[in-house]
Coordinates of all heavy atoms in Angstrom, one line a residue:
I121 N 125.5 63.4 78.4 CA 125.5 62.5 77.4 C 125.0 63.2 76.1 O 124.0 63.8 76.0 CB 124.3 61.4 77.7 CG1 124.9 60.6 78.9 CG2 124.1 60.4 76.6 CD1 123.8 59.6 79.5
L127 N 126.3 55.7 75.7 CA 125.7 54.8 76.5 C 126.2 53.4 76.4 O 126.5 52.7 77.4 CB 124.1 54.7 76.2 CG 123.3 56.0 76.2 CD1 121.9 55.8 75.9 CD2 123.5 56.7 77.6
S133 N 133.3 50.2 78.4 CA 134.5 50.7 79.3 C 134.9 49.8 80.4 O 135.9 49.9 81.1 CB 134.2 52.1 79.8 OG 133.3 52.1 80.8
E139 N 144.1 39.5 83.2 CA 144.9 39.6 84.4 C 144.3 40.6 85.4 O 144.7 40.6 86.5 CB 146.3 40.0 84.0 CG 146.5 41.3 83.2 CD 146.5 41.0 81.8 OE1 145.9 40.0 81.2 OE2 147.2 41.9 81.0
D177 N 132.5 53.2 115.0 CA 133.2 53.7 116.0 C 134.3 52.8 116.4 O 135.3 53.1 116.9 CB 132.3 54.0 117.2 CG 131.4 55.2 116.8 OD1 131.6 56.0 116.0 OD2 130.4 55.3 117.6
G212 N 131.3 43.8 98.7 CA 132.8 43.6 99.0 C 133.6 44.3 98.0 O 133.2 44.8 97.0
V241 N 121.1 42.3 119.3 CA 120.6 42.0 118.0 C 121.3 40.7 117.5 O 122.4 40.5 117.7 CB 120.9 43.3 117.1 CG1 120.7 42.9 115.6 CG2 120.1 44.5 117.4
E255 N 103.8 44.7 107.4 CA 103.5 45.8 108.3 C 104.5 45.9 109.4 O 104.8 46.9 110.0 CB 102.0 45.6 108.8 CG 100.9 46.0 108.0 CD 100.8 44.8 106.8 OE1 101.2 43.6 107.1 OE2 100.4 45.2 105.7
R264 N 115.3 56.9 97.7 CA 115.2 55.9 96.7 C 114.1 54.8 97.1 O 113.2 54.6 96.3 CB 116.5 55.3 96.3 CG 116.4 54.0 95.4 CD 117.8 53.4 95.2 NE 117.8 52.2 94.4 CZ 118.7 52.1 93.4 NH1 119.6 53.0 93.1 NH2 118.5 51.0 92.6
V289 N 122.5 36.7 97.9 CA 124.0 36.7 97.8 C 124.3 36.8 96.3 O 123.8 35.9 95.5 CB 124.7 35.6 98.6 CG1 124.3 34.3 98.1 CG2 126.2 35.6 98.4
P323 N 112.1 28.5 102.4 CA 110.8 27.7 102.3 C 109.8 28.3 103.1 O 108.6 27.6 103.1 CB 111.3 26.4 102.7 CG 112.4 26.7 103.7 CD 113.1 27.8 103.2
M350 N 114.5 36.6 82.4 CA 115.6 35.9 81.8 C 116.1 36.5 80.4 O 116.9 36.0 79.8 CB 115.1 34.5 81.5 CG 114.7 33.7 82.9 SD 116.2 33.3 83.7 CE 116.7 31.7 82.9
D357 N 120.8 36.3 67.7 CA 122.0 36.7 67.0 C 122.2 38.3 66.9 O 121.1 39.0 66.8 CB 121.8 36.3 65.5 CG 121.9 34.8 65.3 OD1 122.4 34.1 66.3 OD2 121.5 34.2 64.2
E381 N 119.1 64.7 96.6 CA 117.7 64.4 96.5 C 117.4 63.5 95.4 O 117.9 63.5 94.4 CB 116.9 65.7 96.4 CG 117.1 66.7 97.6 CD 116.5 66.1 99.0 OE1 115.6 65.3 98.9 OE2 117.1 66.6 100.1
Q388 N 108.7 57.2 83.9 CA 109.0 58.1 82.8 C 110.2 57.4 81.9 O 110.7 56.3 82.3 CB 109.6 59.4 83.4 CG 108.4 60.2 84.0 CD 108.7 61.5 84.7 OE1 109.7 62.1 84.3 NE2 108.0 61.9 85.6
K397 N 113.2 65.9 77.2 CA 111.7 65.9 77.5 C 111.2 65.2 78.7 O 110.1 64.7 78.6 CB 111.1 65.4 76.1 CG 111.4 66.4 75.0 CD 110.6 65.7 73.7 CE 111.0 66.7 72.4 NZ 110.5 66.0 71.3
W411 N 122.9 57.8 83.9 CA 122.8 56.4 83.2 C 123.1 55.4 84.1 O 122.6 54.3 84.1 CB 123.6 56.5 81.9 CG 123.7 55.3 81.1 CD1 124.8 54.7 80.7 CD2 122.6 54.5 80.4 NE1 124.6 53.5 79.9 CE2 123.2 53.5 79.8 CE3 121.3 54.7 80.4 CZ2 122.5 52.5 79.1 CZ3 120.5 53.7 79.6 CH2 121.1 52.7 79.0
A412 N 124.3 55.6 84.8 CA 124.7 54.5 85.7 C 123.6 54.3 86.9 O 123.4 53.1 87.2 CB 126.0 55.1 86.4
T417 N 118.6 50.2 88.3 CA 117.1 50.0 88.7 C 116.5 48.9 87.7 O 115.3 48.6 87.7 CB 116.3 51.1 88.5 OG1 116.3 51.6 87.0 CG2 116.9 52.4 89.3
A433 N 120.6 33.8 93.5 CA 120.8 33.0 94.8 C 120.2 33.6 96.0 O 120.3 34.9 96.3 CB 122.3 32.6 95.0
G436 N 122.1 33.2 102.7 CA 122.4 31.9 103.3 C 123.5 31.8 104.3 O 124.0 33.0 104.7
A480 N 113.0 25.7 89.4 CA 114.0 25.8 90.5 C 113.5 26.6 91.7 O 113.8 26.2 92.8 CB 115.2 26.7 90.0
I488 N 112.4 19.0 87.7 CA 112.6 18.3 86.4 C 111.9 19.1 85.3 O 110.9 19.6 85.4 CB 111.8 16.9 86.5 CG1 112.3 16.0 87.6 CG2 112.0 16.2 85.2 CD1 111.6 14.8 87.9
V489 N 112.7 19.3 84.3 CA 112.3 20.0 83.0 C 112.6 19.0 81.8 O 113.8 18.7 81.6 CB 112.9 21.4 82.9 CG1 112.5 21.8 81.5 CG2 112.4 22.2 84.0
I495 N 119.1 18.0 89.7 CA 120.2 17.5 90.5 C 121.3 17.0 89.6 O 122.5 17.2 89.8 CB 119.8 16.5 91.6 CG1 121.0 16.3 92.6 CG2 119.4 15.2 91.0 CD1 120.5 15.7 93.9
R506 N 134.2 23.2 89.1 CA 135.4 22.7 89.8 C 136.5 22.6 88.9 O 137.7 22.9 89.3 CB 135.0 21.3 90.3 CG 136.1 20.7 91.4 CD 135.7 19.2 91.7 NE 134.4 19.2 92.3 CZ 133.3 18.7 91.8 NH1 133.4 18.1 90.6 NH2 132.2 18.5 92.4
S534 N 125.3 19.2 99.0 CA 123.9 19.3 98.5 C 123.7 18.2 97.3 O 122.7 17.5 97.3 CB 123.7 20.7 98.1 OG 123.4 21.6 99.1
D543 N 115.7 22.4 102.0 CA 115.3 21.0 102.3 C 115.6 20.7 103.8 O 114.9 20.0 104.5 CB 116.0 20.0 101.3 CG 115.4 20.2 99.9 OD1 114.4 20.0 99.6 OD2 116.4 20.6 99.2
R559 N 112.6 28.3 116.3 CA 113.8 27.7 116.6 C 114.9 28.1 115.4 O 116.1 28.0 115.7 CB 113.6 26.1 116.5 CG 112.7 25.6 117.4 CD 113.6 25.2 118.8 NE 114.5 24.2 118.4 CZ 114.3 22.9 118.6 NH1 112.9 22.5 118.9 NH2 115.4 22.0 118.4

Side-chain angles (χ1 to χ4, degrees):
I121 296 172
L127 304 180
S133 70
E139 59 268 24
D177 297 340
V241 166
E255 289 70 28
R264 173 182 178 130
V289 55
M350 297 288 278
D357 290 344
E381 299 289 333
Q388 296 177 26
K397 297 178 180 179
W411 177 235
T417 70
I488 299 175
V489 172
I495 194 163
R506 188 185 302 109
S534 286
D543 299 293
R559 297 275 296 275

